[in-house]
Amino acid sequence: MTEHLLKILIVGDGNVGKSSFVHRYVSGQFNKTYKMTVGVDFSVKLLHWSETEKVRLQLWDIAGQERFISMNRIYYKGAVGCVVMFDVTNSSSFLSCRHWKQDLDNKAMLPSGDSIPCILLANKCDLAQRVVSADSIKEFSKANGFKTWMETSVKENKNIGEAMRPTSI
Ligand code: GDP
């Protein structure tokens, strides 16, 4: 059995749902009180890829950051994909995505020298008090070089597995 280790980053402002997303994806649960430890931490999900191959997904979540901060290169090192997340009820978390993506493009590279593929996730789409429209997300995603974007609700388990499919990132 061959095992591959893939490092995936989850970035975005505080409170957009990153820890909940990782927890939901890894354990299938959503608890309102769940919180990862402050600082950088990662969770692991083991995927049975084929008869002979296993994939160990290492999901790196920056916890405890309220606003965009420029990350240390070490954090980005070796990552093969990234999730940039914002909250559709919080426009400043959407604006921060530009900084998150620029920081990634400046510091995170594949061995080939290309920038790492990123997906943009518009979380909390279950909430009625939405302020960021689908049209503006679509435009932003295209203009900023995201591979794709999706609306998610960690709470209602919408598009969580879909976002993490290899074809998405
Ligand atoms: P983080 O700081 O980005 O890691 O955000 P958290 O995962 O701690 O989530 C912040 C808050 O948003 C928590 O109270 C979560 O329960 C809540 N939350 C996360 N995802 C969703 C969602 O899809 N819908 C709703 N309504 N609340 C969510």
Side-chain angles (χ1 to χ4, degrees):
M1 182 74 74
T2 320
E3 196 174 295
H4 305 278
L5 178 70
L6 299 182
K7 176 176 173 182
I8 309 281
L9 310 171
I10 322 287
V11 303
D13 284 2
N15 218 38
V16 300
K18 299 181 300 297
S19 308
S20 307
F21 173 79
V22 170
H23 189 53
R24 168 71 94 183
Y25 178 64
V26 171
S27 73
Q29 291 171 354
F30 178 78
N31 341 5
K32 275 194 125 145
T33 52
Y34 174 78
K35 192 72 199 167
M36 283 201 2
T37 45
V38 170
V40 174
D41 210 340
F42 65 81
S43 305
V44 173
K45 173 118 170 164
L46 198 60
L47 304 174
H48 294 276
W49 204 249
S50 69
E51 295 281 297
T52 54
E53 286 174 302
K54 271 198 283 195
V55 171
R56 191 176 285 272
L57 273 191
Q58 221 181 46
L59 305 169
W60 289 62
D61 169 25
I62 39 154
Q65 314 294 350
E66 283 314 311
R67 288 288 161 107
F68 166 76
I69 47 143
S70 180
M71 297 294 290
N72 192 306
R73 272 173 202 277
I74 301 291
Y75 174 72
Y76 292 134
K77 203 171 174 347
V80 296
C82 183
V83 172
V84 178
M85 181 178 273
F86 70 96
D87 169 354
V88 292
T89 70
N90 174 344
S91 57
S92 82
S93 74
F94 178 52
L95 292 175
S96 290
C97 291
R98 187 185 306 276
H99 302 296
W100 286 112
K101 182 67 167 64
Q102 276 167 1
D103 204 43
L104 280 157
D105 288 344
N106 290 336
K107 296 177 188 162
M109 258 168 226
L110 296 175
S112 64
D114 292 337
S115 51
I116 64 170
C118 293
I119 184 171
L120 178 65
L121 295 186
N123 192 38
K124 306 198 189 180
C125 67
D126 57 282
L127 295 175
Q129 61 273 37
R130 172 176 183 145
V131 294
V132 187
S133 74
D135 278 349
S136 52
I137 305 167
K138 194 171 162 186
E139 200 174 301
F140 174 82
S141 161
K142 216 171 151 193
N144 288 274
F146 285 91
K147 199 161 168 226
T148 187
W149 68 279
M150 274 185 203
E151 297 195 345
T152 57
S153 166
V154 178
K155 187 177 180 189
E156 295 183 349
N157 205 8
K158 186 182 167 204
N159 277 346
I160 307 305
E162 287 77 358
M164 294 304 291
R165 292 230 169 91
T167 47
S168 299
I169 298 193

